[in-house]
PDB file of all heavy atoms in Angstrom:
ATOM      1  N   MET A   9     -33.032  78.765 115.154  1.00  0.00           N
ATOM      2  CA  MET A   9     -33.195  80.176 114.856  1.00  0.00           C
ATOM      3  C   MET A   9     -32.510  80.504 113.563  1.00  0.00           C
ATOM      4  O   MET A   9     -31.370  80.251 113.402  1.00  0.00           O
ATOM      5  CB  MET A   9     -32.643  80.944 116.101  1.00  0.00           C
ATOM      6  CG  MET A   9     -32.708  82.541 115.838  1.00  0.00           C
ATOM      7  SD  MET A   9     -31.851  83.474 117.194  1.00  0.00           S
ATOM      8  CE  MET A   9     -32.827  82.883 118.557  1.00  0.00           C
ATOM      9  N   VAL A  10     -33.174  81.262 112.701  1.00  0.00           N
ATOM     10  CA  VAL A  10     -32.585  81.477 111.401  1.00  0.00           C
ATOM     11  C   VAL A  10     -32.272  83.135 111.426  1.00  0.00           C
ATOM     12  O   VAL A  10     -33.135  83.928 111.752  1.00  0.00           O
ATOM     13  CB  VAL A  10     -33.537  81.329 110.135  1.00  0.00           C
ATOM     14  CG1 VAL A  10     -32.819  81.815 108.848  1.00  0.00           C
ATOM     15  CG2 VAL A  10     -33.801  79.813 110.215  1.00  0.00           C
ATOM     16  N   LEU A  11     -30.962  83.404 111.252  1.00  0.00           N
ATOM     17  CA  LEU A  11     -30.569  84.844 111.285  1.00  0.00           C
ATOM     18  C   LEU A  11     -30.689  85.481 109.988  1.00  0.00           C
ATOM     19  O   LEU A  11     -30.350  84.974 108.932  1.00  0.00           O
ATOM     20  CB  LEU A  11     -29.134  84.934 111.795  1.00  0.00           C
ATOM     21  CG  LEU A  11     -28.943  84.271 113.209  1.00  0.00           C
ATOM     22  CD1 LEU A  11     -27.589  84.553 113.588  1.00  0.00           C
ATOM     23  CD2 LEU A  11     -29.894  84.979 114.270  1.00  0.00           C
ATOM     24  N   ALA A  12     -31.235  86.750 109.876  1.00  0.00           N
ATOM     25  CA  ALA A  12     -31.283  87.490 108.682  1.00  0.00           C
ATOM     26  C   ALA A  12     -29.960  87.832 108.172  1.00  0.00           C
ATOM     27  O   ALA A  12     -28.885  88.025 108.943  1.00  0.00           O
ATOM     28  CB  ALA A  12     -32.077  88.700 108.942  1.00  0.00           C
ATOM     29  N   THR A  14     -26.867  89.870 106.975  1.00  0.00           N
ATOM     30  CA  THR A  14     -26.442  91.199 107.322  1.00  0.00           C
ATOM     31  C   THR A  14     -25.104  91.477 106.771  1.00  0.00           C
ATOM     32  O   THR A  14     -24.424  90.560 106.246  1.00  0.00           O
ATOM     33  CB  THR A  14     -26.347  91.290 108.912  1.00  0.00           C
ATOM     34  OG1 THR A  14     -25.349  90.379 109.302  1.00  0.00           O
ATOM     35  CG2 THR A  14     -27.613  91.044 109.524  1.00  0.00           C
ATOM     36  N   VAL A  17     -19.722  91.414 109.828  1.00  0.00           N
ATOM     37  CA  VAL A  17     -19.576  91.984 111.188  1.00  0.00           C
ATOM     38  C   VAL A  17     -18.186  92.480 111.404  1.00  0.00           C
ATOM     39  O   VAL A  17     -17.137  91.844 111.037  1.00  0.00           O
ATOM     40  CB  VAL A  17     -19.942  90.813 112.224  1.00  0.00           C
ATOM     41  CG1 VAL A  17     -19.591  91.282 113.677  1.00  0.00           C
ATOM     42  CG2 VAL A  17     -21.315  90.334 112.106  1.00  0.00           C
ATOM     43  N   ILE A 167     -20.196  91.520 123.039  1.00  0.00           N
ATOM     44  CA  ILE A 167     -21.471  91.527 123.919  1.00  0.00           C
ATOM     45  C   ILE A 167     -21.168  90.442 124.984  1.00  0.00           C
ATOM     46  O   ILE A 167     -20.587  89.312 124.617  1.00  0.00           O
ATOM     47  CB  ILE A 167     -22.698  91.123 123.130  1.00  0.00           C
ATOM     48  CG1 ILE A 167     -23.245  92.379 122.347  1.00  0.00           C
ATOM     49  CG2 ILE A 167     -23.726  90.541 124.029  1.00  0.00           C
ATOM     50  CD1 ILE A 167     -24.462  92.036 121.593  1.00  0.00           C
ATOM     51  N   CYS A 196     -26.193  90.652 127.470  1.00  0.00           N
ATOM     52  CA  CYS A 196     -27.499  89.888 127.495  1.00  0.00           C
ATOM     53  C   CYS A 196     -27.518  89.096 128.687  1.00  0.00           C
ATOM     54  O   CYS A 196     -26.559  88.393 129.091  1.00  0.00           O
ATOM     55  CB  CYS A 196     -27.545  88.995 126.223  1.00  0.00           C
ATOM     56  SG  CYS A 196     -27.724  89.763 124.636  1.00  0.00           S
ATOM     57  N   THR A 203     -36.822  91.472 124.304  1.00  0.00           N
ATOM     58  CA  THR A 203     -36.094  90.733 123.206  1.00  0.00           C
ATOM     59  C   THR A 203     -35.338  91.688 122.354  1.00  0.00           C
ATOM     60  O   THR A 203     -35.854  92.732 122.049  1.00  0.00           O
ATOM     61  CB  THR A 203     -37.029  89.860 122.468  1.00  0.00           C
ATOM     62  OG1 THR A 203     -36.227  89.169 121.419  1.00  0.00           O
ATOM     63  CG2 THR A 203     -38.224  90.557 121.851  1.00  0.00           C
ATOM     64  N   ALA A 204     -34.223  91.287 121.787  1.00  0.00           N
ATOM     65  CA  ALA A 204     -33.429  92.058 120.902  1.00  0.00           C
ATOM     66  C   ALA A 204     -34.034  92.037 119.522  1.00  0.00           C
ATOM     67  O   ALA A 204     -33.653  92.811 118.609  1.00  0.00           O
ATOM     68  CB  ALA A 204     -31.990  91.566 120.842  1.00  0.00           C
ATOM     69  N   THR A 205     -35.053  91.300 119.215  1.00  0.00           N
ATOM     70  CA  THR A 205     -35.603  91.213 117.970  1.00  0.00           C
ATOM     71  C   THR A 205     -36.850  92.037 117.805  1.00  0.00           C
ATOM     72  O   THR A 205     -37.367  92.231 116.739  1.00  0.00           O
ATOM     73  CB  THR A 205     -36.146  89.721 117.619  1.00  0.00           C
ATOM     74  OG1 THR A 205     -37.010  89.389 118.634  1.00  0.00           O
ATOM     75  CG2 THR A 205     -34.944  88.784 117.657  1.00  0.00           C
ATOM     76  N   GLY A 206     -37.184  92.720 118.925  1.00  0.00           N
ATOM     77  CA  GLY A 206     -38.357  93.572 119.004  1.00  0.00           C
ATOM     78  C   GLY A 206     -38.099  94.945 118.360  1.00  0.00           C
ATOM     79  O   GLY A 206     -36.998  95.238 117.990  1.00  0.00           O
ATOM     80  N   PRO A 209     -34.732  97.325 120.950  1.00  0.00           N
ATOM     81  CA  PRO A 209     -33.864  96.330 121.336  1.00  0.00           C
ATOM     82  C   PRO A 209     -33.132  96.442 122.573  1.00  0.00           C
ATOM     83  O   PRO A 209     -32.541  95.734 123.237  1.00  0.00           O
ATOM     84  CB  PRO A 209     -32.806  96.354 120.139  1.00  0.00           C
ATOM     85  CG  PRO A 209     -32.981  97.663 119.632  1.00  0.00           C
ATOM     86  CD  PRO A 209     -34.267  98.168 119.732  1.00  0.00           C
ATOM     87  N   LEU A 224     -29.252  94.273 126.159  1.00  0.00           N
ATOM     88  CA  LEU A 224     -29.911  94.054 124.891  1.00  0.00           C
ATOM     89  C   LEU A 224     -30.813  92.955 124.743  1.00  0.00           C
ATOM     90  O   LEU A 224     -31.373  92.667 123.704  1.00  0.00           O
ATOM     91  CB  LEU A 224     -28.816  93.947 123.798  1.00  0.00           C
ATOM     92  CG  LEU A 224     -27.781  95.004 123.634  1.00  0.00           C
ATOM     93  CD1 LEU A 224     -26.756  94.718 122.693  1.00  0.00           C
ATOM     94  CD2 LEU A 224     -28.398  96.403 123.452  1.00  0.00           C
ATOM     95  N   GLY A 225     -31.135  92.282 125.850  1.00  0.00           N
ATOM     96  CA  GLY A 225     -32.094  91.164 125.863  1.00  0.00           C
ATOM     97  C   GLY A 225     -31.530  90.064 126.765  1.00  0.00           C
ATOM     98  O   GLY A 225     -30.770  90.221 127.620  1.00  0.00           O
ATOM     99  N   SER A 226     -32.171  88.912 126.484  1.00  0.00           N
ATOM    100  CA  SER A 226     -31.829  87.682 127.308  1.00  0.00           C
ATOM    101  C   SER A 226     -30.614  86.926 126.607  1.00  0.00           C
ATOM    102  O   SER A 226     -30.254  87.372 125.486  1.00  0.00           O
ATOM    103  CB  SER A 226     -33.030  86.752 127.410  1.00  0.00           C
ATOM    104  OG  SER A 226     -33.370  86.232 126.149  1.00  0.00           O
ATOM    105  N   VAL A 227     -30.133  85.983 127.297  1.00  0.00           N
ATOM    106  CA  VAL A 227     -29.024  85.131 126.600  1.00  0.00           C
ATOM    107  C   VAL A 227     -29.431  84.476 125.329  1.00  0.00           C
ATOM    108  O   VAL A 227     -28.677  84.392 124.404  1.00  0.00           O
ATOM    109  CB  VAL A 227     -28.536  84.103 127.619  1.00  0.00           C
ATOM    110  CG1 VAL A 227     -27.494  83.136 127.032  1.00  0.00           C
ATOM    111  CG2 VAL A 227     -27.908  84.814 128.830  1.00  0.00           C
ATOM    112  N   ASP A 228     -30.801  84.153 125.255  1.00  0.00           N
ATOM    113  CA  ASP A 228     -31.306  83.544 124.071  1.00  0.00           C
ATOM    114  C   ASP A 228     -31.223  84.482 122.900  1.00  0.00           C
ATOM    115  O   ASP A 228     -31.218  84.167 121.733  1.00  0.00           O
ATOM    116  CB  ASP A 228     -32.666  83.143 124.218  1.00  0.00           C
ATOM    117  CG  ASP A 228     -32.781  81.931 125.204  1.00  0.00           C
ATOM    118  OD1 ASP A 228     -31.849  81.168 125.360  1.00  0.00           O
ATOM    119  OD2 ASP A 228     -33.914  81.805 125.781  1.00  0.00           O
ATOM    120  N   ASP A 229     -31.182  85.835 123.237  1.00  0.00           N
ATOM    121  CA  ASP A 229     -31.128  86.860 122.194  1.00  0.00           C
ATOM    122  C   ASP A 229     -29.735  87.227 121.641  1.00  0.00           C
ATOM    123  O   ASP A 229     -29.574  88.042 120.865  1.00  0.00           O
ATOM    124  CB  ASP A 229     -31.850  88.180 122.570  1.00  0.00           C
ATOM    125  CG  ASP A 229     -33.270  87.872 123.001  1.00  0.00           C
ATOM    126  OD1 ASP A 229     -34.016  87.116 122.338  1.00  0.00           O
ATOM    127  OD2 ASP A 229     -33.716  88.558 124.101  1.00  0.00           O
ATOM    128  N   ALA A 230     -28.714  86.560 122.256  1.00  0.00           N
ATOM    129  CA  ALA A 230     -27.365  87.037 122.157  1.00  0.00           C
ATOM    130  C   ALA A 230     -26.788  87.105 120.690  1.00  0.00           C
ATOM    131  O   ALA A 230     -26.328  88.081 120.226  1.00  0.00           O
ATOM    132  CB  ALA A 230     -26.436  86.185 123.069  1.00  0.00           C
ATOM    133  N   ALA A 231     -27.208  85.977 119.934  1.00  0.00           N
ATOM    134  CA  ALA A 231     -26.728  85.986 118.569  1.00  0.00           C
ATOM    135  C   ALA A 231     -27.301  87.149 117.746  1.00  0.00           C
ATOM    136  O   ALA A 231     -26.618  87.758 116.976  1.00  0.00           O
ATOM    137  CB  ALA A 231     -27.113  84.668 117.951  1.00  0.00           C
ATOM    138  N   VAL A 232     -28.662  87.370 117.899  1.00  0.00           N
ATOM    139  CA  VAL A 232     -29.366  88.366 117.174  1.00  0.00           C
ATOM    140  C   VAL A 232     -28.814  89.734 117.642  1.00  0.00           C
ATOM    141  O   VAL A 232     -28.535  90.627 116.831  1.00  0.00           O
ATOM    142  CB  VAL A 232     -30.808  88.351 117.300  1.00  0.00           C
ATOM    143  CG1 VAL A 232     -31.528  89.523 116.663  1.00  0.00           C
ATOM    144  CG2 VAL A 232     -31.249  87.088 116.717  1.00  0.00           C
ATOM    145  N   ALA A 233     -28.629  89.948 118.932  1.00  0.00           N
ATOM    146  CA  ALA A 233     -28.180  91.130 119.527  1.00  0.00           C
ATOM    147  C   ALA A 233     -26.747  91.482 119.005  1.00  0.00           C
ATOM    148  O   ALA A 233     -26.383  92.676 118.810  1.00  0.00           O
ATOM    149  CB  ALA A 233     -28.291  91.097 121.101  1.00  0.00           C
ATOM    150  N   ALA A 234     -25.899  90.496 118.910  1.00  0.00           N
ATOM    151  CA  ALA A 234     -24.515  90.657 118.453  1.00  0.00           C
ATOM    152  C   ALA A 234     -24.537  91.300 117.030  1.00  0.00           C
ATOM    153  O   ALA A 234     -23.682  92.077 116.669  1.00  0.00           O
ATOM    154  CB  ALA A 234     -23.781  89.408 118.545  1.00  0.00           C
ATOM    155  N   GLN A 235     -25.461  90.584 116.164  1.00  0.00           N
ATOM    156  CA  GLN A 235     -25.395  91.081 114.817  1.00  0.00           C
ATOM    157  C   GLN A 235     -25.876  92.519 114.676  1.00  0.00           C
ATOM    158  O   GLN A 235     -25.483  93.355 114.017  1.00  0.00           O
ATOM    159  CB  GLN A 235     -26.368  90.092 113.886  1.00  0.00           C
ATOM    160  CG  GLN A 235     -25.509  88.829 113.471  1.00  0.00           C
ATOM    161  CD  GLN A 235     -26.450  88.057 112.591  1.00  0.00           C
ATOM    162  OE1 GLN A 235     -27.528  87.498 112.908  1.00  0.00           O
ATOM    163  NE2 GLN A 235     -25.946  88.111 111.295  1.00  0.00           N
ATOM    164  N   ARG A 236     -27.048  92.794 115.504  1.00  0.00           N
ATOM    165  CA  ARG A 236     -27.486  94.188 115.416  1.00  0.00           C
ATOM    166  C   ARG A 236     -26.478  95.233 115.877  1.00  0.00           C
ATOM    167  O   ARG A 236     -26.512  96.311 115.380  1.00  0.00           O
ATOM    168  CB  ARG A 236     -28.753  94.202 116.305  1.00  0.00           C
ATOM    169  CG  ARG A 236     -30.006  93.602 115.713  1.00  0.00           C
ATOM    170  CD  ARG A 236     -31.133  93.626 116.658  1.00  0.00           C
ATOM    171  NE  ARG A 236     -32.336  93.147 116.021  1.00  0.00           N
ATOM    172  CZ  ARG A 236     -33.333  93.838 115.372  1.00  0.00           C
ATOM    173  NH1 ARG A 236     -33.023  95.164 115.079  1.00  0.00           N
ATOM    174  NH2 ARG A 236     -34.308  93.294 114.896  1.00  0.00           N
ATOM    175  N   ALA A 237     -25.730  94.709 116.920  1.00  0.00           N
ATOM    176  CA  ALA A 237     -24.761  95.685 117.631  1.00  0.00           C
ATOM    177  C   ALA A 237     -23.468  95.797 116.751  1.00  0.00           C
ATOM    178  O   ALA A 237     -22.611  96.681 117.039  1.00  0.00           O
ATOM    179  CB  ALA A 237     -24.568  95.409 119.018  1.00  0.00           C
ATOM    180  N   GLY A 238     -23.192  94.905 115.771  1.00  0.00           N
ATOM    181  CA  GLY A 238     -21.975  94.817 115.102  1.00  0.00           C
ATOM    182  C   GLY A 238     -20.910  94.283 115.858  1.00  0.00           C
ATOM    183  O   GLY A 238     -19.627  94.555 115.716  1.00  0.00           O
ATOM    184  N   ALA A 239     -21.294  93.314 116.871  1.00  0.00           N
ATOM    185  CA  ALA A 239     -20.200  92.810 117.816  1.00  0.00           C
ATOM    186  C   ALA A 239     -19.361  91.619 117.017  1.00  0.00           C
ATOM    187  O   ALA A 239     -19.938  91.013 116.208  1.00  0.00           O
ATOM    188  CB  ALA A 239     -20.892  92.228 118.930  1.00  0.00           C
ATOM    189  N   ILE A 242     -19.193  87.015 121.147  1.00  0.00           N
ATOM    190  CA  ILE A 242     -20.241  86.940 122.379  1.00  0.00           C
ATOM    191  C   ILE A 242     -19.272  86.289 123.409  1.00  0.00           C
ATOM    192  O   ILE A 242     -18.631  85.254 123.159  1.00  0.00           O
ATOM    193  CB  ILE A 242     -21.386  86.123 121.990  1.00  0.00           C
ATOM    194  CG1 ILE A 242     -22.204  86.791 120.931  1.00  0.00           C
ATOM    195  CG2 ILE A 242     -22.110  85.767 123.291  1.00  0.00           C
ATOM    196  CD1 ILE A 242     -23.319  85.820 120.424  1.00  0.00           C
ATOM    197  N   LEU A 258     -26.089  78.090 120.890  1.00  0.00           N
ATOM    198  CA  LEU A 258     -25.570  79.388 120.663  1.00  0.00           C
ATOM    199  C   LEU A 258     -24.320  79.457 119.793  1.00  0.00           C
ATOM    200  O   LEU A 258     -24.198  80.274 118.912  1.00  0.00           O
ATOM    201  CB  LEU A 258     -25.283  80.034 122.107  1.00  0.00           C
ATOM    202  CG  LEU A 258     -24.592  81.427 122.076  1.00  0.00           C
ATOM    203  CD1 LEU A 258     -25.488  82.500 121.370  1.00  0.00           C
ATOM    204  CD2 LEU A 258     -24.251  81.895 123.502  1.00  0.00           C
ATOM    205  N   ALA A 261     -25.543  79.026 116.350  1.00  0.00           N
ATOM    206  CA  ALA A 261     -26.201  80.143 115.702  1.00  0.00           C
ATOM    207  C   ALA A 261     -25.321  81.314 115.250  1.00  0.00           C
ATOM    208  O   ALA A 261     -25.717  82.007 114.356  1.00  0.00           O
ATOM    209  CB  ALA A 261     -27.098  80.847 116.928  1.00  0.00           C
ATOM    210  N   VAL A 262     -23.965  81.235 115.666  1.00  0.00           N
ATOM    211  CA  VAL A 262     -23.091  82.308 115.228  1.00  0.00           C
ATOM    212  C   VAL A 262     -22.002  81.732 114.237  1.00  0.00           C
ATOM    213  O   VAL A 262     -21.171  82.572 113.785  1.00  0.00           O
ATOM    214  CB  VAL A 262     -22.422  82.924 116.519  1.00  0.00           C
ATOM    215  CG1 VAL A 262     -23.378  83.633 117.352  1.00  0.00           C
ATOM    216  CG2 VAL A 262     -21.553  81.941 117.293  1.00  0.00           C
ATOM    217  N   THR A 265     -21.794  83.525 110.928  1.00  0.00           N
ATOM    218  CA  THR A 265     -22.164  85.060 111.026  1.00  0.00           C
ATOM    219  C   THR A 265     -20.786  85.933 111.034  1.00  0.00           C
ATOM    220  O   THR A 265     -20.765  87.104 110.957  1.00  0.00           O
ATOM    221  CB  THR A 265     -22.945  85.366 112.169  1.00  0.00           C
ATOM    222  OG1 THR A 265     -22.212  85.180 113.420  1.00  0.00           O
ATOM    223  CG2 THR A 265     -24.285  84.765 112.166  1.00  0.00           C
ATOM    224  N   ILE A 267     -19.161  85.899 113.866  1.00  0.00           N
ATOM    225  CA  ILE A 267     -19.087  86.243 115.227  1.00  0.00           C
ATOM    226  C   ILE A 267     -18.410  85.148 115.984  1.00  0.00           C
ATOM    227  O   ILE A 267     -18.874  84.088 115.851  1.00  0.00           O
ATOM    228  CB  ILE A 267     -20.475  86.598 115.803  1.00  0.00           C
ATOM    229  CG1 ILE A 267     -21.202  87.784 115.165  1.00  0.00           C
ATOM    230  CG2 ILE A 267     -20.439  86.983 117.348  1.00  0.00           C
ATOM    231  CD1 ILE A 267     -22.721  87.993 115.420  1.00  0.00           C
TER     232      ILE A 267
END
Side-chain angles (χ1 to χ4, degrees):
M9 179 187 298
V10 179
L11 300 179
T14 60
V17 175
I167 281 179
C196 291
T203 173
T205 60
L224 303 179
S226 68
V227 174
D228 293 336
D229 301 321
V232 175
Q235 282 192 288
R236 286 180 176 272
I242 296 172
L258 177 59
V262 299
T265 65
I267 300 172

